[in-house]
Amino acid sequence: MGAATCFFLEYVVKVHGGPFLHELLRVVGDALIVAFILGIAGDFYLKYKFGEEVMKKAVRDVMAEMLGFLRGGQPVELRKAVSRFAGQSIYVRSTRIRVNFSWAHKDRVMRLDVSVKVKGTCIDDNGYLPRGPLWSVASIRGYETTYLHYSLHCPVADINVSEDNPAELVPFTTLSPHRLSLNQQDLLTHRVPHGAYIPPGETFDHGRSIRTFLRATGFVPLMHSDFAILFRLELTGEALPGLEVSVFHPMSEVGEQEWHYVGEDPVPVREWHNVTPGQATIVSWRPRDNSAAGVS
């Protein structure tokens, strides 16, 4: 409006006024036009950047921030809304999976020790205890898959389960042709005080370790059953330097879903954000010298 006014006055002065006032109004009008253009451009730029950052934040941080509203003293309606949004009883801050590679039989059979550690928070108003079955792929013929460890800790709820004797876990496992399942509900019924549960808003640690035997060239799926802010995958073991390992972690961001380890990484660790239920990470391997053969 100011620019338009100046240009109108410029026309009037050009016809009826002197050259000095005419030039002054023209310069002021030009300046206001430039300011107007920069203002509009800046406004669009800021809105674009703001929208871009909001989208990134929505993907990366919003659930973490919402999680803060779930602590004690917050409105019940808000906790319920967040719980319905997630569709889960828990929200996981971090999941760490460590895959340890070692040879079990003359470079022909790979022994995999897979350990999982989860740090979660209950977002269910009725409290939470793990109930769904856990599973691992079955070993190749002649070998057995074994659960080595299971743990669940929540100090506030006085839950302190730590089972490191594989023999004690056997009664709670079921073997099928392709997998070994662990019945958490039955296990915790025998290990947790009657009526105990993780209260809403409280954090807990959940862990397990499995040993399985697979071919020298093979793969294993790592399934994700909960929303998680951070997923950390670690590769280790005496056989690792002689392997070529490929990790496929499907996600929306191109360029972050594949990782190839061929022995050059000093610390073979990768992290991904925003894991969702049903997502799977596929870890495959083969000997670098191609000398080892699989067994049937």
Side-chain angles (χ1 to χ4, degrees):
M1 289 295 292
T5 300
C6 284
F7 282 117
F8 174 76
L9 290 175
E10 176 194 0
Y11 170 77
V12 173
V13 170
K14 183 177 182 180
V15 176
H16 303 286
F20 175 79
L21 186 56
H22 166 262
E23 184 64 21
L24 175 62
L25 289 173
R26 187 189 66 78
V27 170
V28 172
D30 288 345
L32 289 172
I33 285 291
V34 171
F36 174 75
I37 294 174
L38 290 177
I40 290 295
D43 182 64
F44 278 118
Y45 175 78
L46 289 175
K47 286 181 178 178
Y48 169 77
K49 291 304 293 182
F50 179 75
E52 184 181 59
E53 291 304 316
V54 165
M55 289 302 294
K56 290 180 180 178
K57 192 173 185 62
V59 173
R60 184 181 61 246
D61 297 333
V62 73
M63 284 302 294
E65 293 180 359
M66 290 171 71
L67 189 62
F69 293 131
L70 302 174
R71 302 194 179 280
Q74 300 300 330
V76 173
E77 293 77 9
L78 181 57
R79 296 201 304 272
K80 288 182 178 179
V82 175
S83 181
R84 284 195 299 270
F85 175 80
Q88 301 285 304
S89 295
I90 65 171
Y91 189 73
V92 175
R93 292 183 177 275
S94 66
T95 298
R96 191 195 78 182
I97 300 181
R98 176 177 293 172
V99 182
N100 185 286
F101 297 87
S102 60
W103 292 111
H105 178 67
K106 296 181 179 178
D107 296 349
R108 291 173 57 85
V109 178
M110 182 64 67
R111 183 177 71 192
L112 258 63
D113 288 358
V114 180
S115 63
V116 181
K117 291 188 177 181
V118 172
K119 292 185 178 294
T121 298
C122 173
I123 57 174
D124 193 325
D125 282 330
N126 298 316
Y128 170 75
L129 273 182
R131 298 186 181 279
L134 301 172
W135 64 270
S136 174
V137 294
S139 295
I140 58 177
R141 187 182 306 170
Y143 294 84
E144 293 183 356
T145 299
T146 306
Y147 277 89
L148 304 174
H149 167 81
Y150 181 92
S151 64
L152 179 66
H153 300 286
C154 179
V156 171
D158 197 25
I159 295 175
N160 186 29
V161 177
S162 185
E163 184 58 74
D164 294 311
N165 184 352
E168 295 293 330
L169 294 173
V170 170
F172 306 103
T173 61
T174 302
L175 180 64
S176 67
H178 302 292
R179 66 177 59 182
L180 179 69
S181 300
L182 176 67
N183 190 323
Q184 291 188 97
Q185 185 170 358
D186 285 353
L187 173 62
L188 292 176
T189 297
H190 290 78
R191 299 294 192 273
V192 172
H194 180 71
Y197 60 87
I198 300 168
E202 296 298 335
T203 60
F204 63 91
D205 294 320
H206 192 199
R208 61 187 180 274
S209 297
I210 308 100
R211 175 171 293 168
T212 189
F213 298 85
L214 300 171
R215 293 179 175 85
T217 297
F219 71 93
V220 64
L222 307 176
M223 301 298 298
H224 303 278
S225 57
D226 305 296
F227 288 102
I229 299 174
L230 176 67
F231 164 49
R232 178 184 176 95
L233 176 63
E234 302 176 357
L235 307 179
T236 186
E238 61 183 22
L240 185 60
L243 298 177
E244 179 178 341
V245 181
S246 295
V247 178
F248 180 59
H249 181 77
M251 56 190 303
S252 60
E253 290 84 355
V254 177
E256 296 186 6
Q257 57 188 11
E258 294 186 38
W259 170 34
H260 299 284
Y261 172 82
V262 290
E264 76 279 5
D265 292 345
V267 181
V269 174
R270 284 294 184 275
E271 293 183 346
W272 292 270
H273 291 81
N274 309 305
V275 173
T276 58
Q279 194 170 2
T281 303
I282 309 299
V283 179
S284 61
W285 62 90
R286 67 183 182 89
R288 294 174 64 183
D289 59 5
N290 293 316
S291 61
V295 297
S296 60

